[in-house]
Amino acid sequence: MSVRVLVTGGDGFIGQHLVEYLLGRGYAVTATMLGEAPSDGTLSRAACEAAEWTRLDVRDAGAIASVVSAARPCRIFHLAGFSSGAEAGLRSRDALAVNGAGTLRLVEAVARGSADVQTVVVAGSADAYGRGGSGPVEERTPLRPLSVYGATKAAQDVLARGVGTALGVPVVVARLFPLLGPGQRPAFVLPSFCRRALAIRRGTAEPRLAVGNLDVARDFTDVRDGVRALADIADLDATPHMAYNVCSGVATKVRRLLEWVLERAEVEPDIVRDPALVRHGEPGIVVGDPARLRAATGWRAERDLRACAHATMDWVADSGAA
């Protein structure tokens, strides 16, 4: 019998890649969405048809209970929520209601009547750490977020593990460092570069790129490696109520992402620093320590980031996302 899994937020960037990966492992996947089933080309047609799609707003406790009851999953991957820091900043109450309280409602629904659930993997965020420390960020690093988004993800993290412990629900938080790849929304740095480079290549924009601070460095990972990590975490038997960093352990400057995009687009625009695009007060470098995840599962980031940037550029060009 196939392993039954539920993916909340299956219509999102990470969710679509996770649905594709889990179906490839032979799992029976129920995925939730806010609107219509995905159709932007990130998911294959076969995957769209193989998964069972259902609408869900995680602010509705009754709807969560109904979806969990109908899906009867052995494993739940909770990805539904605000993923954009800018959007969370503009809609802070909604972001907390979804990222924080929505996660609480899911854990409570599992506790009330889902004996089949062996693991709930919550997609957390490295933004919950804030600045981190002077070296690679470990899971024991205190959560000291610097943004509204980071605060909502810190609340989600604490609620998921704390309430999970109190109610006997096996919850694990995957603290995702920035993921990149095809299907990501234009609000994020890599697809934003891709869209603008493509416009220059097509002659619909001047050969000039306004940028923020290109020398900030982050621990980027290809989303396809990221979803493999989520699945590996769900496979673990005896680590409930823990957190795992999902990261490469290597910092890459944003400048490198731009160089790879321009290389793929075959354009050489003027690069102009725009003070309005600089995020004042943001850490210069944030890199994670993947040792705990590596020791538990053997997982490590395998995909090349340059190839990831090229694949994202190709997706933007082919999908009409530009």
Side-chain angles (χ1 to χ4, degrees), residues 1 11 21 26-27 33 48 50 53 58 66 69 76-77 107 119 172-173 179 197 229 242 259 266 278 287 295-296:
M1 180 181 293
D11 54 343
Y21 181 75
Y27 291 178
M33 57 191 179
C48 282
W53 296 91
V58 296
S66 295
S69 176
I76 297 176
F77 297 88
V107 175
T119 307
V172 183
V173 177
L179 300 181
M242 290 188 69
E259 290 171 353
E266 299 182 317
V278 176
V287 62

Side-chain angles (χ1 to χ4, degrees), residues 13-14 34 38 47 54 99 102 122 126 133 136 142 157 175 189 207 232 234 243 255 271 273 288 291 311 318:
F13 165 54
I14 301 171
L34 266 179
T54 185
N99 290 353
V122 174
D157 194 306
R175 292 176 182 160
V189 62
D232 287 353
R255 183 180 304 278
I271 307 300
R273 184 182 172 99
D318 294 342

Side-chain angles (χ1 to χ4, degrees), residues 143-178:
L143 304 183
R144 294 172 178 166
L146 299 173
S147 65
V148 170
Y149 173 71
T152 68
K153 296 302 282 187
Q156 176 190 57
D157 194 306
V158 173
L159 282 168
R161 291 182 295 119
V163 176
T165 299
L167 299 182
V169 177
V171 175
V172 183
V173 177
R175 292 176 182 160
L176 302 173
F177 284 67

